[in-house]
Amino acid sequence: MNRIWFTILLVTTTSLMGSSFAVGKIGLNYVSPLLLVGLRFSIAGFIMAVSVYLLKRQHPKRAKEWVQMVVVGFFQTAAVMGAIFLSLRTITAGESSILTFTNPLLVVLFGTIFMGMKYRLMQWGGVAVGFLGVFITLGASLDIQQPGTLLGMMSAVSWAIATLLMKKWGQAFDTWVLTAYQMLFGGIILLAGSALMEQSTFVVTPLSIFILIWLAIMASIVQFAIWFYLLKREDPGKVSAFLFLAPLFGVIFGWLLLNEQLHFSTLIGGSLILAGIYFVNRPAKQVSTRLAAGPSQL
């Protein structure tokens, strides 16, 4: 692929990932958190599900496989995105994006503990550097009583679990079919959660409708399509290594759209987290690996 075209697409998909934090935080002025994210992924999942059906992509034939997609949808969409949007009520978009994108570091830890996976010394070094960055980002004092901080961490944990589940089950599914239905199932779970756990509100204005369309179409379907196009056309390990750009864009959009302050500890800690994620994702020579989370839909 032409280098310029590759760079344009890479910046586009990672900036769309990062934009969803700031745009979502603006959306919370008009829509309750779980309702907003539930509508986002129900719409995106429905459009993608109809598309894969019309394109006659291979669908699961056994009930067990549909249950597996529901489980992935719970962790990858409902738990991750629900935690992110709830966290945005009390912490900045930049902080939420940084905490969420520590998930590749957790993949190494969980993969080793629960699945017996083996990682290189460089990847463990990336984990150490990354978690040092988390500590610094949060002001060298992890306030576990801060709801937004806990929710941001929960989103990373859920994303890491979803990644490992997709590593274990993903080979049995068509990638586009799995993504479509896990989005749809996750969106439905979030809508049910909204009905049960919050006082659902939706103030209909041109801006709130635009935000919902941006999150569902641009930051979900378009972003995902570009990401997987790059993964298919280029080395997956090389592409995944650039996932570290997404939290950087999350901080930038928080600054541009929400006037969030760029604290020195956030900049230093965020840089260490980006470095850690890069080393975790960096493939060994002549070996293609993909350690970052699977289908990224932030």
Side-chain angles (χ1 to χ4, degrees), residues 242-276:
F242 286 95
L243 188 66
F244 71 87
L245 290 173
L248 176 62
F249 280 116
V251 173
I252 291 173
F253 278 107
W255 173 59
L256 290 174
L257 299 180
L258 300 168
N259 295 317
E260 294 179 352
Q261 294 184 354
L262 300 179
H263 298 290
F264 183 71
S265 62
T266 301
L267 295 175
I268 297 299
S271 298
L272 289 173
I273 292 171
L274 300 183

Side-chain angles (χ1 to χ4, degrees), residues 80-136:
V80 173
M81 301 309 302
I84 288 172
F85 274 66
L86 289 172
S87 76
L88 290 172
R89 296 183 303 179
T90 54
I91 62 175
T92 68
E95 289 169 338
S96 181
S97 65
I98 288 172
L99 289 172
T100 297
F101 277 95
T102 59
N103 76 88
L105 312 178
L106 295 175
V107 167
V108 174
L109 289 178
F110 293 170
T112 300
I113 295 171
F114 299 110
M115 299 179 68
M117 299 173 71
K118 304 296 183 182
Y119 297 95
R120 305 187 312 278
L121 182 61
M122 177 180 291
Q123 292 168 306
W124 280 110
V127 171
V129 171
F131 280 111
L132 175 62
V134 172
F135 188 72
I136 294 175

Side-chain angles (χ1 to χ4, degrees), residues 228-241:
F228 263 85
Y229 173 79
L230 290 173
L231 288 174
K232 289 183 178 181
R233 293 295 299 270
E234 295 286 339
D235 170 48
K238 173 185 174 182
V239 175
S240 293

